[in-house]
Structures are given as C-alpha cells and as structure tokens.
Amino acid sequence: MSLFIGLMSGTSLDGVDGVLVDFWAGAARTLAAAYVPFPPALREELMALQAASPNELEREALAANTLAQYYAQCVADVLAQTEMKPADVRAVGSHGQTIRHRPELGFTRQTGNPALLAELCGIDVVADFRSRDVAAGGQGAPLVPAFHQALFSLPGKTRVVANIGGIANISVLHGDGRTTGFDTGPGNVLMDKWIARHQGKAYDDDGAWAATGKVIQPLLDAMLREPYFALPAPKSTGRDLFHADWLDARLAPYASAAPQDVQATLTQLTVLTLARAIGEQAPKTEAVYVCGGGAYNGVLMRSLAAELGVAVESTAALGVEPNRVEALAFAWLAFRFNERLAGNVPAVTGARGERVLGALYPR
C-alpha cells in the first residue's frame, strides 16, 4: 500500500475535508473520508485575515495553530475509520487556508502551521504547494487540473471538470491529452455572503432561495463588466477581489432590490462566467462534471446545463463524491512530492515549467 492523507479547507471557510487514499500501482483508492467543521469564531477570524488589519501577524500565527488542531482532528477521524496507524501513512498533504493570493506580486499565503500538524499527527506533512509555482512565474492556481487529468481524463474525449467552491475553476481535459484551465471567477463566495447577511445561513441550500427570485439584468450586466472576466488565461483569483466591498459597490444603485432577486442574480453570475469560459475553451465538450459545494446546488446545476446545452453532472458520475475531490487532489500532490514528480501544469498556471510542489515537515 502507498497511503496518503489529503486535507482541504477552501474559500468557503466552513471546515476541513480529509481523505485517506491508497495510490498503489497507479490507482487512487479512497479508504476513508471525514469532515470537521470550523467554529464560527475561527471562521470569522479567517475571514478578517483576508484583508489588512491590526496585529495581523500575531493573529495569523494564532489562527494557524488553531487550524492545525482541527486538521489533526480530521486526520484522527479518517484513521479511526480504518485499522491504519499514523506510521502506516507516508504523508499528509495539507493545503492550508488561503488568506492572501497575490501572484502578480509574487506571493500566495496559505496558513495552517504544518510543523505543528506534523507534531500532532506523528506523520510527515507536505504543505505550501502553491509557492513553488508562483516562484516559477506561475499563478499558483488552480492546481487541481493536473489531478483531474490523472483521474478523470478519457483518451479521444474532451471533458470539463468544474470545481465550484468559493471560487470556481475549470479543468479542460482535451481528448489529445492536453490539459488547460483557470479560475473563472466567483463560485459560491458571493451567494454565501449574501444569504449570510440576510438570512444568517452559511449557504443557499440547493439554491432554494435563489429560485424564489428573478435575475436583475442591469445588475448582472454591471457585474459581468468586471475586468477579471476578460483577462486571458492563465489567471487566478480569490477573496482578494471578490469580497464584500466588490459586491456592495455594484449593489449601490440597487438598494431597493429584493434580496432574493440579488441572490438569483449572483447565482446567474456564477453560471454565466462558468458557461462562457467553458464555451470558449471547450466548445465541443460532451459533458461537464462538477465538484465542490456547487455540485449540491440544484438550481445552479440546472441553469448551467441549460446555458451550455450539454449534460452537467457531479463527479459522482465518475466515481468520486464531489466534496472529496479537492482533498483527494492534495493527497495526490503529496504523493507526487514524495516521488519528486511535478504537480503543476504550466499551460494552466503560466509557470516557466513543471515543478515539484510543496515543502516537507517531517514527523
């Protein structure tokens, strides 16, 4: 067996997903999975650390220590489902929590104290996957297309994997073996922010609230004029751009709009930016497979299928539950690091070449 654990906490800031994977003989077999939610106080602190604030260096260090505790709990929960012990696992691949992503300035920051995680788990930890790609002139994101290609590609067929987390990105798995992709823009981040503000909920379950509203076309048009959407790939984005101030600035002329209509408009923004990117990059794709939280939003999924005119399914149709794909990807990246194999796709990130990604924190 060749066992690795992958941990992923994304831009939705809701908690950490973990998987135990066996990469023996070129296969990727998931043996166990777990999810550990973050408490509101930690979520709020991670949200605050997305922007400059007083005493942020100390606050980030303390948040990183707290994150390591929750990551370690997720590792323990995964192992508890099997007969495996820490010594049986070659490494934990820990993405960490992104708090700043500024590749145009030459840096990206994922917090999580991997040294403490290694101490708590008694397992080697591989972390900081994005920085090596950024150092090579890349965006450091998205990193999942390489894994999508390894797991989901089919020779002779073009497939698209759309990862709809807080931010949305696509992986175009071309039938000739090429892989391209980029961040398309907001996934759930703006929808989550709006429903939290008006209903105190973490997310719009199945898109039910959006379904009660109507799209405000002038507002949608104003949002679509965001320059990021017109930038050529490679490109990546995050909460550094799509945050509360971005949303409020565009909502200012629509102060009297019904909140459910705004939610419907934000949902359509995610749908259209994804559909346009897929239409440009993979006009002949026969199917789109969705992972991330967006796969559980029925309104979004049906709207995307209607916009594209092709089948839109979750990655469960390919044998992997949509909420496990990213954690699997970081287990795979830890496996690649262990073998000293490249983990990036230069055509996706814009890096000067393939690079081994990650930094090792031995147990």
Side-chain angles (χ1 to χ4, degrees), residues 63-299:
N65 289 349
T66 302
L67 274 170
Q69 300 280 346
Y70 282 93
Y71 291 169
Q73 182 61 58
C74 194
V75 170
D77 289 353
V78 166
L79 289 176
Q81 298 175 41
T82 72
E83 297 180 354
M84 304 303 171
K85 298 178 176 61
D88 298 321
V89 180
R90 294 194 180 186
V92 173
S94 177
H95 172 266
Q97 186 65 54
T98 299
I99 56 172
R100 304 290 169 86
H101 182 66
R102 300 297 302 274
E104 74 280 7
L105 298 179
F107 78 93
T108 184
R109 177 70 174 175
Q110 285 73 45
T111 191
N113 198 343
L116 178 57
L117 180 59
E119 186 70 21
L120 293 171
C121 295
I123 305 172
D124 287 359
V125 172
V126 183
D128 194 21
F129 291 97
R130 300 187 185 276
S131 291
R132 188 66 180 90
D133 186 87
V134 172
Q139 292 285 308
L143 294 183
V144 290
F147 173 68
H148 292 162
Q149 195 279 333
L151 194 66
F152 298 133
S153 63
L154 186 65
K157 298 285 186 181
T158 296
R159 287 176 166 177
V160 173
V161 179
N163 176 33
I164 309 178
I167 298 299
N169 58 66
I170 59 170
S171 301
V172 182
L173 312 178
H174 299 273
D176 60 6
R178 292 179 301 118
T179 300
T180 57
F182 54 88
D183 287 350
T184 60
N188 303 310
V189 61
L190 299 178
M191 292 183 280
D192 290 352
K193 189 172 294 293
W194 189 248
I195 198 169
R197 184 183 297 182
H198 287 272
Q199 296 195 353
K201 297 179 179 179
Y203 60 93
D204 188 1
D205 189 8
D206 201 36
W209 192 39
T212 67
K214 296 182 179 179
V215 172
I216 305 168
Q217 192 61 46
L219 173 59
L220 179 60
D221 292 341
M223 291 178 170
L224 288 170
R225 286 194 288 271
E226 162 57 46
Y228 177 81
F229 300 132
L231 289 176
K235 60 181 180 178
S236 61
T237 189
R239 288 182 183 270
D240 301 88
L241 174 58
F242 294 107
H243 46 56
D245 290 345
W246 185 95
L247 178 58
D248 290 340
R250 284 148 186 82
L251 287 175
Y254 303 93
S256 61
Q260 65 269 28
D261 292 345
V262 174
Q263 186 74 354
T265 305
L266 293 173
T267 303
Q268 189 64 8
L269 175 66
T270 295
V271 167
L272 280 183
T273 49
L274 272 165
R276 291 179 179 182
I278 293 168
E280 291 171 0
Q281 297 292 316
K284 296 182 179 180
T285 188
E286 298 179 4
V288 174
Y289 299 94
V290 178
C291 57
Y296 301 97
N297 185 325
V299 169

Side-chain angles (χ1 to χ4, degrees), residues 35-83:
Y35 171 74
V36 176
F38 293 155
L42 177 58
R43 190 174 189 274
E44 290 168 11
E45 182 69 340
L46 292 171
M47 189 78 72
L49 288 168
Q50 305 285 323
S53 55
N55 199 27
E56 61 181 331
L57 288 177
E58 180 175 331
R59 288 168 52 208
E60 190 229 325
L62 292 174
N65 289 349
T66 302
L67 274 170
Q69 300 280 346
Y70 282 93
Y71 291 169
Q73 182 61 58
C74 194
V75 170
D77 289 353
V78 166
L79 289 176
Q81 298 175 41
T82 72
E83 297 180 354

